Structure formats: structure tokens, C-alpha cells
Amino acid sequence: MSTLPTIVARLSAADPRSIRDIEQEIRDEFEFHLEMRTEDNIRSGLPAAQARELATAQFGDFETIQNTCRKTLLGERIMLQRLQTALIAILVLAIVALAYQMYSSQRANETALADVAEQLARLNRSPQANSAPIRAGEPPAWDADRPRVVETFPANNATDVDPATSEIRVTFDSAMTDGSWSWVRSSSEAFPESAGDVHYLADMKTCVMPVKLEPGRKYVVWFNTANYQNFKDREGRPAVPHLLSFTTRR
Amino acid sequence: MARSNDRTELVQGTLDMLVLRTLRSGPLHGYAIANKIQAESDGFLQVEEGSLYPALHRMERRGWIAAEWGLSESRRKAKFYELTAAGREQLKAKAKTWGRLVAAISGVMGTGTAKA
């Protein structure tokens, strides 16, 4: 068995002939042999056609001998060519897999960015400017029909809230389902301490949470999120998530 | 193995040695090599083409012989083989091994001088 370094060394000792050239040389060499044998047969008294026929029979199985010689002269080169083809195929597959992975990753990033943009658009939609969200295009129909927060108390982003404030109110643009809400905390530190039972006012648009606030603290409350959607109107449509953030004065 | 009573094919493993020995006198093409082996064995050894050409190509790959295309005695294009320095070394080694083998077999058969 030849080792790979030996094979490479032999090939790099460089036979400049192409595979096709070598195959042709084998055929030429055999043909010469047949011609010489035919001539000898003619000299021994056979007619030309018979002489050639006999020469061919004497030579043996032309194809088999040719294949044996082909393997002898080209076996290593053919093996290396196959190896090279296999390596190229593997390389191409790896590139395709990598490209697909990059494409998938990019798609995932785009989707994540789109989600973030949508969240930002919702965050920036203040109750006072209850018009178009900050995003391209109109919201889908199902989203447009959903109830929205139109006002909060304290107001969003207020920085001088009286720490003696005893309740937080959120008002929607339509009547809501009684006894159903999602006051959601983003962190336990930023969520106000409860001081009583949550309830709706008589108009069923305003929900109230009694609280006990502390001076000099920032509070953050979500009304509905992607996972908690119990603020819903009478038809069961969940309200568009809304973030309330305010700070009490010292 | 024998084609007829007065001709036989080569003992396995000896073809390389005979080809190398035949080429010692100068470059020859395949057909001439086969004929020369047959002639020098008084027609006893028959070289099959199916063995000769693979052997020539194998030895060419191993560097024991070198090949070159030229014109034959009948002015046809032919491939001539020539013994290389590595081939001469191989011939020496093979001849030595062959000598030992013949002596050993002769000893066993009681037809030679080797000790049994």
C-alpha cells in the first residue's frame, strides 16, 4: 500500500501528461503490438485478415489488459481526483450550510428588531398623543380594534409625583370587563406597594389600584404585556400593552 | 499453466526479473521484450501480453525502467523501455534471490549442488 505522502511525492514528480493522453498511449502501445504480431503472422504464411484476427486472439482480452494498465498508471491519480472532488463537495456543502445559518440568523435578528420596534412604538405612544404609533404603516385591523390606554394617573413620565398619592388609575378608551386586569411588574423594586383591592370605577373604563408610595422612588407598571392580557374589553379583546413610569418627589 | 508440452508461462514473480534482465542490453519495446524472452528461453517461456504490459507500467511507475516513444525498426511509433539505475539495483537483488531459490529447490530435488 502506498502512503499518501508517497503518492503525493510521485505525482509531484510530475507526469505532465493528462489522463486522456496516458489512456491514448496505452491504446497506441497495444495497437503497435497487434500490428507487429500481425506482420509476424503474415510472414508465417497467414492471409492478412486471418493474421490480424489471430494476433488479436493471441493478445487476449484487450479491454481487461487496458484497464489493468490504466489502474497501474493512473490509479493513484484517479484516487486523488476523487478525493479532491469529495473535498470540494464537502466544502460546497459547508459553505451552503454556513450561508443558510447566517441567513437564518439574520432573519431571526430582523424579527427581533421588528418586535423591539413595535414595543418601542407602543412605549412612545402617550395617552395625550393617542394617534398614530411610531411605526411604519397602519396597525393591523385586529390591533386597531383593541382597547387602548388613554390616560393614567400619575401621568406617564411624571417626575414630581406626590408620595402621598394613594391610588394609581388607568383609563381605557372603551368599557372593560369587570374583575379582570393585568397590573404587571417589570421588577419587584419598581412596583408600588398595594394598599387595597383593585377595582373599576362605575364607567368601567377606569381601573384603580390603591397604593402606598414612598418619596424619591421610581415606579414602573405595565398594563398588560405579551404574556399577561387580562385588561380586556367587553368583547374579550385584550388591551394594547402600555407602560407607566413615574417618580415620586423627595 | 502450460499452453503446450514445450511451452510454459512464467513462474509467478519472475517476470519483472526477466524483463529487467532483457533490458540490460538496451532499450526495447514491449513486443520485442516478449519475443526476446521467448527466443532466449528457446521458445520455452511464453510471455502473456496481459501480464507483460501491466508489469512494464508498474515498473515504470516504480522508476525501475524509463519509457520513451520512438520509431521501431519498421518505422512505426513505439514505446521503448530502458533500464534505470534503480532497475539495475532491482535486477541484482532479484537475481540473487532467484539464485538462492533455484539452489534451494535443486537441493530438495537432488538435482543440484545445494545442501538439502
Side-chain angles (χ1 to χ4, degrees):
Chain A
M1 279 294 287
S2 300
T3 61
L4 190 59
T6 309
I7 294 168
V8 171
R10 276 188 202 165
L11 288 177
S12 58
D15 187 339
R17 297 171 297 174
S18 70
I19 290 177
R20 188 169 294 181
D21 285 346
I22 291 173
E23 288 173 338
Q24 185 58 50
E25 283 187 11
I26 294 170
R27 282 192 292 274
D28 290 347
E29 186 175 25
F30 289 4
E31 183 55 37
F32 170 77
H33 188 108
L34 285 173
E35 286 172 4
M36 294 295 286
R37 176 78 74 193
T38 303
E39 282 180 8
D40 278 352
N41 290 342
I42 290 170
R43 270 194 289 273
S44 63
L46 283 176
Q50 257 186 305
R52 173 73 186 195
E53 201 175 319
L54 180 60
T56 305
Q58 287 168 326
F59 190 88
D61 187 345
F62 194 96
E63 289 298 321
T64 303
I65 301 171
Q66 189 178 18
N67 277 336
T68 308
C69 290
R70 187 174 179 275
K71 280 179 191 166
T72 304
L73 288 174
L74 298 170
E76 291 163 354
R77 199 191 281 197
I78 289 169
M79 188 190 74
L80 274 188
Q81 271 190 347
R82 285 178 182 163
L83 187 65
Q84 193 178 24
T85 305
L87 286 176
I88 289 171
I90 290 169
L91 192 63
V92 168
L93 281 175
I95 290 171
V96 169
L98 187 64
Y100 179 75
Q101 196 176 12
M102 288 173 69
Y103 171 75
S104 301
S105 174
Q106 189 179 354
R107 286 294 305 272
N109 286 342
E110 285 173 2
T111 306
L113 281 174
D115 288 347
V116 169
E118 190 175 329
Q119 292 283 350
L120 285 173
R122 286 174 179 166
L123 285 176
N124 281 289
R125 191 186 308 131
S126 69
Q128 292 75 17
N130 185 27
S131 54
I134 307 172
R135 63 181 176 190
E138 291 300 314
W142 62 270
D143 201 21
D145 291 342
R146 292 167 65 179
R148 295 171 184 279
V149 172
V150 293
E151 188 178 7
T152 60
F153 176 81
N156 191 30
N157 294 326
T159 56
D160 192 28
V161 176
D162 183 353
T165 300
S166 61
E167 59 183 30
I168 297 173
R169 293 192 299 271
V170 56
T171 303
F172 295 89
D173 59 0
S174 54
M176 306 297 279
T177 301
D178 195 10
S180 179
W181 46 72
S182 287
W183 297 71
V184 185
R185 61 188 67 198
S186 59
S187 74
S188 55
E189 294 79 21
F191 198 76
E193 183 184 344
S194 173
D197 293 336
V198 176
H199 57 276
Y200 279 101
L201 298 184
D203 65 357
M204 293 306 293
K205 290 184 176 179
T206 301
C207 190
V208 179
M209 178 182 185
V211 292
K212 184 182 176 196
L213 303 180
E214 293 178 12
R217 280 190 60 177
K218 182 175 182 179
Y219 291 95
V220 177
V221 178
W222 275 96
F223 305 110
N224 277 5
T225 61
N227 294 327
Y228 299 96
Q229 302 207 337
N230 289 322
F231 276 119
K232 48 194 174 188
D233 64 13
R234 295 272 170 83
E235 282 72 42
R237 289 181 291 247
V240 174
H242 186 95
L243 181 67
L244 168 62
S245 171
F246 65 87
T247 307
T248 54
R249 65 171 172 263
R250 294 183 180 278
Chain B
M1 290 290 284
R3 279 186 171 179
S4 64
N5 290 337
D6 58 351
R7 277 187 181 181
T8 185
E9 291 176 5
L10 294 174
V11 177
Q12 194 168 6
T14 58
L15 179 59
D16 287 5
M17 180 180 68
L18 293 178
V19 169
L20 292 172
R21 176 68 180 79
T22 305
L23 288 174
R24 210 171 62 162
S25 56
L28 290 172
H29 50 69
Y31 187 75
I33 292 170
N35 279 351
K36 195 170 180 188
I37 290 173
Q38 194 171 333
E40 289 185 352
S41 66
D42 292 329
F44 185 75
L45 295 174
Q46 175 77 27
V47 180
E48 298 274 355
E49 288 82 349
S51 303
L52 175 65
Y53 286 102
L56 286 170
H57 295 155
R58 188 177 61 250
M59 288 192 284
E60 183 188 354
R61 292 286 299 153
R62 289 177 178 171
W64 299 351
I65 55 177
E68 195 172 0
W69 286 88
L71 286 179
S72 72
E73 57 279 11
S74 58
R75 311 298 296 168
R76 287 196 181 91
K77 200 177 125 190
K79 190 176 182 184
F80 287 85
Y81 296 93
E82 187 175 18
L83 200 59
T84 64
R88 287 181 200 284
E89 291 303 314
Q90 279 296 321
L91 177 58
K92 277 184 199 170
K94 285 179 184 295
K96 197 173 173 183
T97 305
W98 175 252
R100 285 179 182 166
L101 180 66
V102 169
I105 292 173
S106 297
V108 172
M109 299 301 291
T111 56
T113 56
K115 289 178 182 177

